[in-house]
Amino acid sequence: MKKVYLDSAATTQVRPEVISKMQDALASCYGNPSSSHGFGRTAKTAIEKARKTIAKYLNAHPSEIIFTSGGTEADNMILRCSVRDLGIETLITSKIEHHAVLHTAEALAREYGIELLFVDLDGNGNPDLAHLESLLKRDDSKKMVSLMHVNNEIGNILDILAVGKLCLEHNALFHSDTVQSIGHFPWDVQKTNAHFLTAAAHKFHGPKGVGFAYIKRNTGLQPLIFGGSQERGFRAGTEPYHNIVGLEEAFIAAYDHLEEESDYVLELKRYFIEKLTKAIPDVAFNGLSGDLEGGTYTLVNVRLPFDSEKALLLLFHLDLKGIACSKGSACQSGSDLGSHVLAEILSPEDLEKPSLRFSFSKYNTKEELDYVVEVLKEYGSN
Ligand SMILES: Cc1ncc(COP(=O)(O)O)c(C=O)c1O
């Protein structure tokens, strides 16, 4: 059966060069990076090289890169340690953050009694920066802002420079969940004014179970996980050497081919929107995902004009046809909960219609997209 993978915002296909790098690492470099003998030192040296590589591409200092098990851990670590160690009293975020941020923020509000404020969103899901400024000005409490750079469901891109500037002006800490952004967009941490960023290798053709937190120097965070002295004592636990070198390989490939690969993926998105709109004229695009400039090039979130009976079996039907896409974000698959992001921005009537997220990668082709459009058209007209 034909198989089409259009769920790269959930996770990506691993690059072959990353797989071979990881295989070599697993087979030949099995020393514990904390051991002082040659086996350990080889692994340790490679981990430090990976840290330097990442720092170089982000224009950060290597000590600002902390390897984690992925985006969720990095988001949790940053928010929790900031509240615990830096005296944050007010956390300002939005209702369309990934649950790694949203659920952590809610837990922190319960556990530490901090105030949780949500910035207003416009109809497309863009934060109202004038409202953000009014929240920042509201009182003298110590504040932190957590707003994601690229939304994983609707693809909106935050004006991160403007938010960073506002945080700087109002002396607030700034965390941005950049899990859908690092590896897909150029980065220079010196320009963003963000104190904290997060990344996950599996979103840019690397392995699962590894990512990193960027933590600006001298922010004063203390460890979340205690144990050995790995990651300079900041994040204990024997490092997954093979994962870290896999992350490095994926990161280098992502940035060395960024222009040609992002142009290719953007063209796929343009083509898909054009074809789908021709085939199903009443189709709509949620958030800024239909916008070739305002939204990320990596995904579209499509609202189909199908009745509720058809909506029910749509994802199942696509799966039977070998097509992988997502209803909202991957964390919701397997549960009946709808998307909390779409619930914030769509009318009750539009929420009734089936919305699907198709997310693209360099491994997709226009022929695959033709097939998906054909399957959707046929399903809608039967
Ligand atoms: C925006 C965003 N933040 C955080 C995460 C969680 O990252 P991980 O799967 O590496 O824990 C994801 C993954 O879906 C994401 O899209």
Side-chain angles (χ1 to χ4, degrees):
M1 183 180 66
K2 207 178 172 86
K3 281 198 182 279
V4 180
Y5 187 75
L6 289 174
D7 204 12
S8 287
T11 198
T12 51
Q13 183 181 337
V14 183
R15 286 182 195 262
E17 62 267 41
V18 172
I19 296 175
S20 81
K21 180 94 187 197
M22 290 178 71
Q23 277 170 336
D24 283 354
L26 281 167
S28 65
C29 194
Y30 45 83
N32 187 318
S34 298
S35 297
S36 57
H37 48 62
F39 291 82
R41 285 199 312 276
T42 307
K44 180 81 180 164
T45 306
I47 290 172
E48 292 315 312
K49 181 176 136 325
R51 196 188 313 281
K52 278 191 193 138
T53 305
I54 291 160
K56 191 182 87 193
Y57 280 85
L58 300 180
N59 199 13
H61 189 272
S63 65
E64 296 175 317
I65 306 300
I66 303 293
F67 291 116
T68 65
S69 63
T72 301
E73 182 190 329
D75 284 333
N76 271 258
M77 172 195 274
I78 288 164
L79 294 173
R80 186 161 279 278
C81 295
S82 296
V83 169
R84 190 194 59 190
D85 305 327
L86 308 180
I88 298 300
E89 299 164 287
T90 305
L91 182 54
I92 305 172
T93 184
S94 84
K95 291 206 169 148
I96 60 168
E97 298 298 304
H98 189 275
H99 281 152
V101 167
L102 212 46
H103 287 171
T104 307
E106 287 159 0
L108 291 168
R110 282 194 302 273
E111 290 171 40
Y112 289 85
I114 59 162
E115 191 175 17
L116 193 54
L117 300 176
F118 295 100
V119 65
D120 289 346
L121 303 169
D122 71 14
N124 277 325
N126 297 310
D128 175 347
L129 296 193
H131 183 235
L132 175 62
E133 182 160 29
S134 74
L135 295 178
L136 284 165
K137 277 187 181 159
R138 217 176 62 146
D139 55 40
D140 291 337
S141 64
K142 179 95 182 121
K143 297 188 182 64
M144 179 169 191
V145 171
S146 178
L147 289 174
M148 69 204 306
H149 184 220
V150 173
N151 187 281
N152 54 302
E153 292 195 36
I154 51 175
N156 292 20
I157 303 175
L158 179 76
D159 186 346
I160 198 161
L161 296 184
V163 174
K165 192 162 165 279
L166 280 177
C167 290
L168 190 70
E169 282 165 10
H170 298 281
N171 204 20
L173 286 167
F174 177 29
H175 162 241
S176 185
D177 175 336
T178 44
V179 169
Q180 294 288 342
S181 165
I182 288 185
H184 298 285
F185 290 90
W187 269 95
D188 181 345
V189 298
Q190 306 305 326
K191 291 191 181 148
T192 55
N193 281 325
H195 299 83
F196 310 106
L197 305 172
T198 52
H202 73 103
K203 304 292 186 185
F204 51 87
H205 304 293
K208 292 167 190 56
V210 66
F212 62 85
Y214 158 78
I215 301 181
K216 202 179 174 74
R217 268 185 293 182
N218 303 323
T219 39
L221 290 197
Q222 297 302 309
L224 180 65
I225 295 175
F226 292 88
S229 57
Q230 293 89 355
E231 300 297 292
R232 294 182 187 80
F234 191 74
R235 197 274 189 183
T238 301
E239 302 92 330
Y241 165 78
H242 60 295
N243 262 348
I244 293 175
V245 296
L247 184 159
E248 182 193 18
E249 190 74 18
F251 195 84
I252 294 173
Y255 281 103
D256 285 356
H257 304 294
L258 190 64
E259 209 177 309
E260 85 224 38
E261 289 181 359
S262 58
D263 283 353
Y264 177 77
V265 175
L266 177 65
E267 173 55 20
L268 289 180
K269 171 169 166 166
R270 190 203 61 72
Y271 183 79
F272 188 61
I273 291 174
E274 183 187 297
K275 282 268 161 171
L276 196 61
T277 313
K278 262 193 204 137
I280 308 173
D282 290 336
V283 70
F285 298 94
N286 294 317
L288 290 186
S289 72
D291 183 336
L292 292 179
E293 273 148 32
T296 177
Y297 60 93
T298 51
L299 67 89
V300 285
N301 194 313
V302 173
R303 194 166 71 247
L304 294 154
F306 297 167
D307 60 36
S308 52
E309 211 172 296
K310 279 214 166 78
L312 215 54
L313 292 176
L314 176 58
L315 211 54
F316 179 63
H317 178 77
L318 292 177
D319 192 28
L320 280 180
K321 294 280 182 185
I323 299 167
C325 64
S326 216
K327 190 175 91 183
S329 76
C331 14
Q332 265 131 19
S333 58
S335 93
D336 281 339
L337 292 175
S339 153
H340 69 286
V341 174
L342 296 185
E344 281 303 313
I345 62 167
L346 295 186
S347 65
E349 191 191 317
D350 282 344
L351 269 178
E352 291 291 307
K353 295 179 191 137
S355 284
L356 294 174
R357 180 187 69 183
F358 294 94
S359 44
F360 315 103
S361 86
K362 72 189 214 78
Y363 295 112
N364 294 122
T365 61
K366 288 186 175 173
E367 290 67 43
E368 289 179 331
L369 301 180
D370 287 338
Y371 171 65
V372 175
V373 170
E374 195 186 299
V375 169
L376 283 172
K377 186 177 175 182
E378 200 192 322
Y379 185 76
S381 53
N382 279 335

